[in-house]
Amino acid sequence: MPHTEQRAVVLVSGGMDSCVCTERRERQSFLAICDRLQIRDRLLVRNEALRAIGGSALTDENIAVPNTPAPSQDIPVTYVPFRNAHFLSVAVSWAEVLGAGKIYIGAVEPDSSGYPDCRPAYYEAFNRVIKAGTKEGKIEIETPLIAMRKAEIVRLGLELKAPFDLTWSCYSHEDRACGLCDSCMLRLRAFAAAGVPDPIPYATAERV
Ligand SMILES: [Zn+2]
């Protein structure tokens, strides 16, 4: 039998991290998830440029993470300018070296924070950039969750035994999730809509 196994690069924890504490917490989650899923080849990337540029509550310590969601038509202050392009570019570079044909990213459009780099058109355009800008032009980004509602993602994750207990979404805390920031609210709403408890600890007793 010829060796036909296809390699893929998977972006884990899109969370770009501002506060050192959140960054440390996200790294801990990333490593624990890789361990449980037995992912051997890991590339831990820390992006100093985004921190130096700032301009987001997640990368600039002078901008607070809000406890109330922004009005739906506004792009929230937690949007990190053009962040996903940085992560995707790293993934494309690594995929070229590994000979991987696919890059998976868990971007979601409905029920999301309204970040412009989570829209399907953005990924279609990025795939054209990869085609034009890599040696063989054969690497493709896949966004399997992009059209799913958050509650559907929770249900699918449970079906696939995704390690939700190891994941971290909170923008503010690192010991217990705050339950109040944008990211916590979206997560809690998703678990509530799916009718299952969120397995991670929360600081606030009140749930959505
Ligand atoms: Zn939070």
Side-chain angles (χ1 to χ4, degrees), residues 117-139:
D117 53 359
C118 285
R119 295 191 282 230
Y122 169 83
Y123 292 96
E124 285 154 23
F126 213 105
N127 273 331
R128 291 198 295 278
V129 169
I130 299 172
K131 207 171 171 46
T134 52
K135 274 193 295 194
E136 293 180 19
K138 286 185 178 160
I139 300 162

Side-chain angles (χ1 to χ4, degrees):
M1 279 287 287
H3 183 71
T4 53
E5 191 182 315
Q6 260 280 9
R7 297 201 80 173
V9 173
V10 181
L11 285 155
V12 177
S13 176
M16 180 51 223
D17 356 278
S18 47
C19 357
V20 173
C21 64
T22 311
E23 178 173 321
R24 196 169 56 216
R25 188 61 187 78
E26 285 180 351
R27 178 174 307 173
Q28 184 189 323
S29 278
F30 167 79
L31 294 172
I33 291 165
C34 289
D35 283 348
R36 188 171 306 167
L37 301 180
Q38 297 180 318
I39 294 163
R40 198 183 58 236
D41 297 325
R42 308 167 185 185
L43 184 71
L44 238 167
V45 179
R46 190 166 187 273
N47 192 320
E48 293 297 341
L50 290 177
R51 182 188 298 270
I53 291 164
S56 161
L58 299 193
T59 52
D60 192 331
E61 56 192 33
N62 297 315
I63 304 173
V65 175
N67 280 344
T68 47
S72 56
Q73 71 276 19
D74 291 355
I75 292 170
V77 72
T78 50
Y79 164 66
V80 179
F82 215 49
R83 174 189 71 186
N84 284 355
H86 293 252
F87 293 138
L88 289 168
S89 297
V90 169
V92 174
S93 299
W94 203 30
E96 263 207 301
V97 172
L98 293 176
K102 300 279 186 194
I103 293 165
Y104 287 89
I105 182 165
V108 178
E109 193 185 34
D111 299 338
S112 69
S113 297
Y115 297 156
D117 53 359
C118 285
R119 295 191 282 230
Y122 169 83
Y123 292 96
E124 285 154 23
F126 213 105
N127 273 331
R128 291 198 295 278
V129 169
I130 299 172
K131 207 171 171 46
T134 52
K135 274 193 295 194
E136 293 180 19
K138 286 185 178 160
I139 300 162
E140 265 194 324
I141 301 168
E142 297 280 349
T143 54
L145 309 182
I146 199 139
M148 290 174 77
R149 313 294 308 224
K150 288 274 193 183
E152 292 177 305
I153 295 168
V154 170
R155 284 191 213 105
L156 176 64
L158 292 172
E159 206 181 297
L160 299 174
K161 299 191 179 4
F164 284 133
D165 56 311
L166 300 177
T167 62
W168 195 257
S169 307
C170 184
Y171 289 153
S172 300
H173 291 193
E174 66 163 343
D175 49 348
R176 297 166 79 81
C178 77
L180 298 168
C181 71
D182 249 19
S183 189
C184 279
M185 296 285 276
L186 286 170
R187 180 182 172 121
L188 284 168
R189 252 183 239 149
F191 276 89
V196 289
D198 185 342
I200 66 161
Y202 281 86
T204 47
E206 200 183 332
R207 299 277 177 104
V208 183

